[in-house]
């Protein structure tokens, strides 16, 4: 990796949909050379993929929370993580050191859906205990994001 690769990564983090010609112009390369650099960064494992950032509130999920989960004895940790990641409300699964075992970032429509999710984590997914914190707001917004705080 060199300075141009670093600049390409910075630009892609800011705008993953930038055109090859705009990316190349920003780093002093042709569109083809910029595309070749990105392909090389992908092959080398530096760029692992591209994602769409979704606003859960725009889809009706306006209640976000962090759920600390202590896994029940006898529950396989990896099985819990896979199971939790497949739940519609779960945005992110973090495996932690210490207690709790996991922290889930979740987005729910309301407190009733959050309550149902917490019950399901215990009854169906191997959680022994949960500790929930509701997110009032997050930020500051990412550069270029139009989000009122």
């Amino acid at each position: 990796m060199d300075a141009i690769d670093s600049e390409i990564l910075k630009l892609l983090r800011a705008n993953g949909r930038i055109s090859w010609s705009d990316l190349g112009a920003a780093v002093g390369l042709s569109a083809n050379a910029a595309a070749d650099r990105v392909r090389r960064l992908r092959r080398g494992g530096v760029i692992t993929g591209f994602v769409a950032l979704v606003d859960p509130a725009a889809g009706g999920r306006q209640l976000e929370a962090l759920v600390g989960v202590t896994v029940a004895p006898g529950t396989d940790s990896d099985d819990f993580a896979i199971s939790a990641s497949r739940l519609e409300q779960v945005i992110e699964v973090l495996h932690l050191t210490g207690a709790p075992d996991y922290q889930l970032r979740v987005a729910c429509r309301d407190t009733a859906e959050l309550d149902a999710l917490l019950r399901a984590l215990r009854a169906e997914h191997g959680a022994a205990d949960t500790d929930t914190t509701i997110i009032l707001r997050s930020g500051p917004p990412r550069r270029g994001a139009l989000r009122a705080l």
Side-chain angles (χ1 to χ4, degrees):
M1 259 197 42
D2 61 15
I4 293 175
D5 289 338
S6 294
E7 185 64 18
I8 286 172
L9 293 174
K10 178 180 148 196
L11 292 165
L12 288 173
R13 279 193 301 269
N15 179 7
R17 294 180 54 95
I18 190 170
S19 70
W20 296 131
S21 60
D22 288 345
L23 182 62
V27 297
L29 297 173
S30 69
N32 286 340
D36 287 343
R37 289 255 186 164
V38 171
R39 282 190 282 277
R40 185 175 46 77
L41 290 166
R42 289 190 72 194
R43 278 192 310 273
V46 176
I47 296 174
T48 58
F50 296 91
V51 299
L53 299 176
V54 178
D55 182 356
R61 297 185 177 279
Q62 298 186 5
L63 177 69
E64 288 192 57
L66 301 174
V67 180
V69 177
T70 301
V71 178
T75 299
D76 182 80
S77 182
D78 291 337
D79 289 345
F80 172 81
I82 292 167
S83 173
S85 71
R86 291 180 178 153
L87 296 170
E88 182 180 356
Q89 300 89 345
V90 175
I91 296 170
E92 184 176 25
V93 177
L94 302 170
H95 191 199
L96 309 174
T97 61
D101 300 313
Y102 285 91
Q103 181 155 330
L104 309 179
R105 183 176 183 117
V106 302
C108 299
R109 289 180 179 81
D110 52 30
T111 57
E113 185 177 32
L114 177 59
D115 181 51
L117 173 64
L118 297 174
R119 290 171 185 263
L121 287 170
R122 288 185 194 98
E124 302 165 22
H125 300 280
D129 189 35
T130 60
D131 182 36
T132 304
T133 303
I134 293 178
I135 300 170
L136 297 177
R137 68 176 171 225
S138 61
R142 293 181 182 189
R143 186 187 315 172
L146 299 176
R147 187 179 215 182
L149 289 179

